[in-house]
Amino acid sequence: MLQIAYIRENQEQVVKALAKRNLDATEMIQKVIDLDEQRRATQVELDNILAESNKLSKEIGDLMRNGEKSKAEILKEKTAKLKDKTADLKERLNTFTDELTNQLYQIPNTPAAIVPEGKTPEDNLTVFEQGEIPVLAEGSLPHWELAKKYDIIDFELGAKITGAGFPVYKGKGAKLQRALISYFLDKNTNAGYNEVQVPHLINEASGYGTGQLPDKEGQMYHAVADDLYLIPTAEVPVTNLYRDVILNESELPICNTAYTPCFRREAGSYGAHVRGLNRLHQFDKVEIVRIEHPEKSYEALDGMVEHVKEILNELKLPYRILRLCGGDMGFTSALTYDFEVFSTAQDRWLEISSVSCFETFQANRLKLRFKGKDGKTQLAHTLNGSSLALPRVLAGILENYQTPEGIVIPDVLKPYCGFDIIN
């Protein structure tokens, strides 16, 4: 969440920045300012009363030692009244603090200066495009029909076991899926990312820490009996490794990568655009997460973009990179680049990665800080990116690499697969 001190000192700039998200935050920000003033005033009053109580306690001790018990009893009556007032002020302070925190949770991150204006995905800015779109032979098929033809993904079987959006990968389809995971992890670890394995369930504090709660609770699977959530992305548990942690500046940057299944309810998603692998409730993804010094986070973001580009270049898939406009950015992001691969058989672009810098937005929730060389403690910057999400990458490979003889495996994946073609 945004830092209250920053909002207090830059009220107009914050409202103006959030307008880029097509959000009139005037009332929200004013409510934050008002609650903060009430909280601070209550804190000052409480501190004064506590100081007075401490002073009286010392005086009572002195009087008792000097045998002036009657005077001490008079002061004890005063301290009793102050205790009642202290309890009331503490309750009021907790109320103002909770209300302020809840209000701050409702406010999205302020976009970076280079985020383009816009309301919808059509307003996103294409900043890079690579690869030639292949010309497919007559009779070429979309990936869901290829999956059935070669018996590599069974959507109906998954629907029987669980429901729509939970496919079963079979034979060479399962091996190709595993090959992609291994390839992505190897690329990331070779680039300096440390591989971690993390839980696939998180508690509420972790959801709040990275901003999935309270913004996206309707899209997360909730195990109510244990009050745990299935993760929507590895970003959540990996970033929460550093919740309530104070790092040394010398430890930065911290670079982690993880493979996990991801679970999303995708409520309200219907139509032809969600067919097959296009949108699932359970899917595999390899994630990269960085914790950076604030002065180096955007340089790190550029490096993450180049890293994902290298992977897609090796897979030889046609892709483009979009800088998301204010209206299409995620709640927690300050700047996001989306990668899209072209699905030739569907004649459309499919999002396969988002790479984002959150600045201090997540770190403030997480209380993720570092101690600088000057001994002062400050919030770190967090970043994350898909490297990569598998379903649409797999869809792109199946569709773009299909031939009359079968689906050719990209050269870079052949050592991982152990076969050259799906036929």
Side-chain angles (χ1 to χ4, degrees):
M1 58 189 171
L2 298 177
Q3 297 178 70
I4 184 60
Y6 180 81
I7 294 175
R8 193 165 53 234
E9 296 166 10
N10 301 276
Q11 185 174 354
E12 291 184 9
Q13 294 94 314
V14 170
V15 171
K16 184 178 179 180
L18 289 173
K20 191 178 279 190
R21 287 182 174 271
N22 308 298
L23 172 67
D24 183 356
T26 306
E27 290 186 11
M28 297 174 71
I29 297 302
Q30 187 58 56
K31 187 173 181 179
V32 164
I33 296 295
D34 293 343
L35 284 169
D36 182 51
E37 288 179 352
Q38 291 172 302
R39 179 186 64 83
R40 294 167 73 199
T42 303
Q43 183 69 67
V44 169
E45 188 176 355
L46 176 61
D47 290 344
N48 289 337
I49 287 178
L50 289 173
E52 186 178 351
S53 294
N54 290 336
K55 181 182 176 184
L56 288 174
S57 295
K58 185 179 179 183
E59 290 180 8
I60 290 169
D62 291 340
L63 290 170
M64 293 295 287
R65 281 190 293 273
N66 294 332
E68 300 179 83
K69 187 176 180 181
S70 59
K71 290 182 180 180
E73 291 299 327
I74 294 172
L75 293 186
K76 281 183 180 180
E77 290 179 8
K78 288 185 178 180
T79 58
K81 292 179 181 179
L82 289 178
K83 282 182 180 179
D84 291 339
K85 196 168 185 180
T86 296
D88 179 60
L89 285 171
K90 285 182 177 179
E91 186 176 341
R92 286 172 55 194
L93 181 62
N94 289 336
T95 298
F96 287 137
T97 300
D98 290 344
E99 289 181 4
L100 176 60
T101 301
N102 289 334
Q103 186 65 24
L104 286 168
Y105 278 144
Q106 308 304 317
I107 302 172
N109 202 355
T110 51
I114 64 170
V115 170
E117 304 278 351
K119 297 182 178 180
T120 68
E122 286 68 35
D123 298 317
N124 294 334
L125 180 66
T126 301
V127 296
F128 186 82
E129 197 163 333
Q130 178 82 13
E132 293 185 10
I133 295 173
V135 178
L136 300 181
E138 187 176 348
S140 296
L141 302 172
H143 70 268
W144 53 86
E145 293 187 23
L146 291 168
K148 188 172 184 178
K149 177 180 179 180
Y150 295 110
D151 194 26
I152 54 175
I153 308 172
D154 196 322
F155 296 99
E156 289 76 17
L157 189 56
K160 182 184 81 167
I161 297 168
T162 308
F166 295 87
V168 174
Y169 298 86
K170 303 165 67 177
K172 288 185 175 180
K175 287 185 177 180
L176 178 54
Q177 182 89 339
R178 179 157 48 91
L180 281 165
I181 293 167
S182 296
Y183 165 63
F184 293 154
L185 286 172
D186 284 351
K187 285 294 294 183
N188 295 345
T189 54
N190 289 338
Y193 289 87
N194 179 54
E195 184 178 350
V196 293
Q197 290 190 1
V198 289
H200 301 160
L201 286 158
I202 56 161
N203 56 29
E204 187 178 68
S206 294
Y208 273 94
T210 44
Q212 278 64 38
L213 296 176
D215 180 52
K216 294 183 176 65
E217 64 267 50
Q219 293 295 338
M220 297 170 70
Y221 287 99
H222 187 194
V224 179
D226 299 299
D227 196 21
L228 297 173
Y229 294 84
L230 287 166
I231 61 170
T233 166
E235 167 204 346
V236 185
V238 175
T239 310
N240 270 278
L241 294 173
Y242 304 94
R243 176 157 44 94
D244 297 319
V245 170
I246 299 178
L247 301 164
N248 290 318
E249 186 174 347
S250 59
E251 296 178 80
L252 300 177
I254 290 176
C255 309
N256 286 322
T257 185
Y259 153 70
T260 65
C262 303
F263 304 88
R264 300 183 185 179
R265 294 185 61 240
E266 297 290 2
S269 297
Y270 305 100
H273 68 290
V274 301
R275 288 195 67 181
L277 297 171
N278 289 350
R279 187 158 296 171
L280 301 174
H281 294 304
Q282 177 181 326
F283 61 95
D284 292 322
K285 183 152 66 84
V286 175
E287 196 82 357
I288 50 177
V289 174
R290 297 180 71 104
I291 299 170
E292 289 280 350
H293 191 288
E295 294 176 1
K296 298 180 179 179
S297 61
Y298 280 100
E299 179 184 344
L301 181 67
D302 291 340
M304 293 168 73
V305 169
E306 291 301 315
H307 178 67
V308 177
K309 282 169 64 175
E310 183 178 330
I311 293 174
L312 289 169
N313 288 338
E314 289 187 358
L315 289 173
K316 297 180 180 177
L317 289 171
Y319 69 96
R320 67 181 183 182
I321 305 174
L322 308 175
R323 185 185 299 150
L324 297 194
C325 69
D328 196 35
M329 281 204 322
F331 184 88
T332 55
S333 176
L335 176 62
T336 294
Y337 290 99
D338 268 8
F339 284 73
E340 296 181 336
V341 65
F342 192 78
S343 167
T344 308
Q346 298 181 70
D347 193 30
R348 59 190 290 258
W349 292 96
L350 303 174
E351 180 196 333
I352 47 100
S353 175
S354 285
V355 182
S356 303
C357 178
F358 306 103
E359 296 187 355
T360 60
F361 193 83
Q362 288 183 331
N364 192 30
R365 289 174 173 232
L366 294 159
K367 294 183 173 58
L368 166 52
R369 296 155 290 174
F370 71 95
K371 185 173 291 187
K373 295 173 183 176
D374 57 3
K376 294 181 180 179
T377 300
Q378 61 178 303
L379 293 171
H381 278 198
T382 61
L383 305 91
N384 87 277
S386 307
S387 178
L388 291 165
L390 274 77
R392 294 173 184 173
V393 171
L394 186 58
I397 290 172
L398 296 180
E399 294 182 1
N400 291 335
Y401 277 85
Q402 64 179 302
T403 70
E405 292 74 35
I407 301 164
V408 177
I409 300 300
D411 290 340
V412 73
L413 294 178
K414 288 176 182 177
Y416 290 92
C417 288
F419 54 86
D420 296 347
I421 192 169
I422 298 173
N423 55 18

